[in-house]
Amino acid sequence: MRITTQMLNEKARQTGLPINSGSLLNHLNSTASNDSLLKVLNKGKGSTVDATQKREYEKLERNAGRLQKRADNLAAKGEDSLFARARESKSTEELCKEAEALAQDFNNALQILQSAPGPLNGYYCQMLKEAAGGNSESLASIGFNVSKDGKITVDSEKLKAADIDTLEKVLGSSSDFTSKLSFVAGRVSDNARAGAESLSSQYGPGGNLLAATDSKYSFWG
């Protein structure tokens, strides 16, 4: 089945991801990119495994995994959740530490994605930026300031001064920001793992990346 921009954008709307800055197809079909899908798929089966590129994929997978875990920790519910413990102890210290770690992992993910191999990573980088930019006002209320390049700088004093209700609204289970971070970070991790596995395969990236890339479309429908 041929995948169209309309189909991708409809799936993006269903998941709540912003799409105004460009579609996934634009990134995949860009002829200006040195890492375009066409060039990757056209590599021969005998291509030499690039150990440096494989390490970059593995680094990206680890970082994205940490980012997803941070977002999921903050969004967790139940009596042992971060917010439940904060309410019981009447202290936001643990919450603030996790929030600052989330911001650091978010910034690290953006930095790695900007130079990461693979045709989908530019798109994922855009999605992370838009997740932050689209929630910049609420994030600013707890001291998370989104810069023009998409990165987050943390005003530690303002973060510590925020009450539990405000922190939960911005970063908790109903947060648009953390839900999008978890979703995109999961896709980044899966894509990076597939990239590393394709480089490790005896068939080389040209022999396996087509299947790996096809599986990445599954979350769009």
Side-chain angles (χ1 to χ4, degrees):
M1 180 178 67
R2 189 172 68 89
I3 298 171
T4 67
T5 299
Q6 183 178 4
M7 292 166 61
L8 294 177
N9 288 347
E10 177 59 29
K11 187 62 177 180
R13 281 190 288 271
Q14 291 174 8
T15 58
L17 289 172
I19 59 174
N20 56 297
S21 293
S23 72
L24 174 58
L25 283 180
N26 288 339
H27 283 278
L28 294 181
N29 294 330
S30 173
T31 56
S33 172
N34 288 328
D35 200 21
S36 69
L37 179 61
L38 182 61
K39 288 185 178 180
V40 173
L41 295 180
N42 282 338
K43 288 181 179 179
K45 290 185 178 180
S47 298
T48 302
V49 173
D50 188 335
T52 300
Q53 189 178 58
K54 183 174 181 290
R55 286 194 295 270
E56 286 300 307
Y57 274 127
E58 292 170 343
K59 179 181 178 182
L60 180 57
E61 181 186 356
R62 290 193 300 271
N63 179 265
R66 285 196 301 269
L67 179 59
Q68 184 179 27
K69 185 176 180 179
R70 298 282 186 199
D72 289 346
N73 283 346
L74 285 163
K77 299 179 181 180
E79 59 183 20
D80 194 43
S81 67
L82 285 168
F83 284 98
R85 294 201 298 268
R87 292 186 186 283
E88 183 177 359
S89 66
K90 295 180 171 37
S91 170
T92 62
E93 182 178 357
E94 185 181 14
L95 272 175
C96 290
K97 286 182 179 179
E98 192 72 7
E100 289 198 77
L102 176 77
Q104 184 61 58
D105 286 338
F106 175 88
N107 291 339
N108 289 343
L110 284 185
Q111 183 175 347
I112 296 170
L113 281 168
Q114 286 170 353
S115 58
L120 294 177
N121 288 319
Y123 186 71
Y124 293 140
C125 184
Q126 173 192 315
M127 290 294 95
L128 288 182
K129 288 180 178 180
E130 292 187 1
N135 291 280
S136 59
E137 187 174 341
S138 62
L139 290 171
S141 70
I142 62 168
F144 276 29
N145 301 306
V146 182
S147 62
K148 290 182 178 180
D149 64 1
K151 291 186 177 180
I152 296 172
T153 57
V154 180
D155 182 336
S156 297
E157 294 304 313
K158 190 170 184 177
L159 177 62
K160 292 175 183 177
D163 58 57
I164 295 178
D165 288 340
T166 301
L167 288 168
E168 188 166 23
K169 181 180 179 181
V170 178
L171 299 175
S173 60
S174 62
S175 166
D176 177 73
F177 177 63
T178 52
S179 65
K180 287 178 179 176
L181 287 196
S182 177
F183 181 84
V184 178
R187 303 283 70 75
V188 171
S189 181
D190 289 346
N191 185 55
R193 186 182 309 112
E197 288 173 354
S198 74
L199 288 173
S200 298
S201 169
Q202 60 178 320
Y203 297 109
N208 288 316
L209 191 55
L210 180 58
T213 303
D214 182 67
S215 70
K216 295 292 142 298
Y217 286 120
S218 61
F219 76 92
W220 292 113

